[in-house]
Amino acid sequence: MRVTVKLFATLVRFKDGTRAGKPFEVDLPDASIVRDLIDHLKIPPEETHVVFVNNIIVENDSKLKDGDVVGMFPPVGGG
Amino acid sequence: MARKILRINMSTLKAAYEDVPEKWARWAGRGLTSAITCDEVDPLCHPLGPNNKLVIAPGWVTGTPAAPSSGRTSFGGKSPLTGGIKESNAGGLSGQMIAKLGLGAIIIEGTPAKGKWYTLVVSKDGVKFEDAADLLGKGMYEVDEVLWKKYPKTAVIGIGQAGEMKLSNAGISVNDPENKPGRYAGRGGMGAVMGARGVKAMVIIDTGGPGVDIVDKELFKQGRRKLTESIQEHGLTKKAGGLNAFGTAVLVNILNEAGGLPTRNFSAGQFEGAAKISGEAMAELCEKRGGEGMMGHGCHPGCIIKCSNIIPDENGNAVASCVEYETTWALGANCGIDELDYIAKMTRECNDIGLDTIEAGNTVAIAMEGGLLKFGDAEGALATFDEIRKGTPLGRILGQGVEATAKAFGVSRVPVVKHQSMPAYEPRAVKGIGVTYATTPMGADHTAGYTIAPEIAGVSGKLDPLSNEGKAELSLTFQAATAFIDSTGYCLFIAFPILDIAKGWEGMAESVAGVTGQNITGADVVPIGKEVLKMERLFNERAGFTAEDDRPPEFMLNEALPPHNVKWTITNEQLDSVFAWVHDGHAA
Ligand code: SF4
């Protein structure tokens, strides 16, 4: 399957040449879960704090499917 | 030396020190401004009339040595925007200096002779009333500069043209360490309350002040250490963490991803230009342009989080500090504007004229919806600020904020609660924050109970932002904890580490207990916060507020918000449950 990934804030350093929110595509084996994608991108798991799939916050064991759009954030906040 | 109250009478031009009466002795910061407002201000008075007062109070730990990020100043009274009680707090230099003068609060009351304006110079020797005629009509950049020439390295509190005109969107500026305006007690029109007292500016000189008494130094130090460690350990607040590296605008992308970034006057939850106005984009801009531009700026000495920034122009010269999340959203996404340079210029206008950027951005968006200009018209949006500065009839309407402008332009999508416009989180997509907007005594305000922490940021657990479940209780708990933190003098952003790291929560309470000698532990935070909320709710009831004022605007019940296509679905019964306990006969 192929998913679209967007990294934000301090996570952009895990993908050469990307900028915050700039989408790129990743091919994964079928039946992959969010954690597989994090491993594939070589992001230490403790660095991803909030993960969205299609604008919904999900857990790391959520299943992915072809065409999903995944957004990953480190700890962010403010006011 | 025990704290004193400094009472300044603008009718007689006399000031006097008073002992803090027993009934106020427990309070500081927001707790104290609200207690004094409740006791001394008639809830039915006209907010700009002779019976309103401006109450200024530093927090419990403000001015103590090395309590981290604790320089907040609370400004309280009756709000011209909401008609209810208001506490609005700001960083900058004033809090620590007022506290070091040994003052628990400054109360400004009375009205000078017509046409007379003053600068109040507050020092250990009392108050000097200086004629402010030469400052009239001037913006805050110039006021700060002029006053520092005469009184270098002092705290300057002041109002721009908006406050002089007593516009409902006038804020109170506090200077930052570079002596620039921009740390604002922005919300609720408190700048107009200061203007109504005939005060253009205040200079605070802490030289020779007695400092802040600390009753139990060991306990204070222990609490301070625990709190400091929690701030330094948390991913969001540590050095080079999210807030330090990208500022509060690091939130733009995550709210956009969640479909909760109000766009084009709350007509959508996602903005296609979000990334261009985000904290990440600001950091890139500062990096590229260099010069005076910087992220990781502190709004007062002793802040160890440093979420502020200085946005530079193409030549590296400072345009404005600080472009916060709320600001880049209000003047950006909410107006369909994706150009950071224009957002920075408009921020500078707000900081100079003395306007709250949230209400200002929402007002421009309403004017866009009403046809005065088009969504996305950055040049046109910037020009509206000149109308306000000059006090043209159009400018005076815009300076009144969202509701007045919506009436003037026939707009019915009006995102307000208690006459105050909503900040940068869409209640239909993030339900808990909607409960806070609807029920806080302050009018629509995110800081009053920041449920975004668990609903979006994954701080203190994770809750589904789209779900209604448990959101009434959640909002109340956050509102109460916030009322406590707003009384400490700590910046509200310590909430992130202390919600996740238990020793931080304890440490905050212990540092307050150490300074005041009150027996306060972590378990007392929420009950004490509820006492503050109760005072404020009762003031509002006496001012005429009813349950019908605790409601989101009608359009949110009728219009589905993309991309989730959700409406506001929390019931009025759920909203009414938030403060039902106020009439139970006990506070907690
Ligand atoms: S965290 Fe930001 S707003 Fe809070 S005190 Fe520090 S610089 Fe000011």
Side-chain angles (χ1 to χ4, degrees), chain A residues 50-69:
Chain A
V50 179
V51 178
F52 289 82
V53 174
N54 305 329
N55 303 120
I56 301 285
I57 297 171
V58 299
E59 296 299 328
N60 285 353
D61 55 8
S62 293
K63 287 201 182 98
L64 293 170
K65 60 179 188 330
D66 192 54
D68 278 347
V69 179

Side-chain angles (χ1 to χ4, degrees), chain B residues 8-14 108 110-121 127-136 143 147 157-159 164 194-195 197-203:
Chain B
I8 302 178
N9 187 322
M10 296 305 298
S11 303
T12 59
L13 301 185
K14 291 216 159 60
I108 305 177
T111 318
K114 201 168 166 46
K116 293 299 271 180
W117 288 84
Y118 293 89
T119 298
L120 307 176
V121 182
V127 180
K128 245 187 353 188
F129 296 79
E130 292 188 352
D131 194 310
D134 57 330
L135 296 177
L136 286 187
V143 170
L147 290 173
I157 297 169
I159 54 174
E164 288 180 36
M194 189 162 155
R197 302 279 68 82
V199 180
K200 172 72 178 172
M202 298 172 72
V203 173

Side-chain angles (χ1 to χ4, degrees), chain B residues 69 72 91 183 297-300 303-308 491 493:
Chain B
S69 309
R72 310 293 294 187
R183 311 314 312 188
H297 174 250
C299 79
H300 71 275
C303 177
I304 61 171
I305 302 172
K306 298 196 176 110
C307 76
S308 175
C491 175
F493 297 155

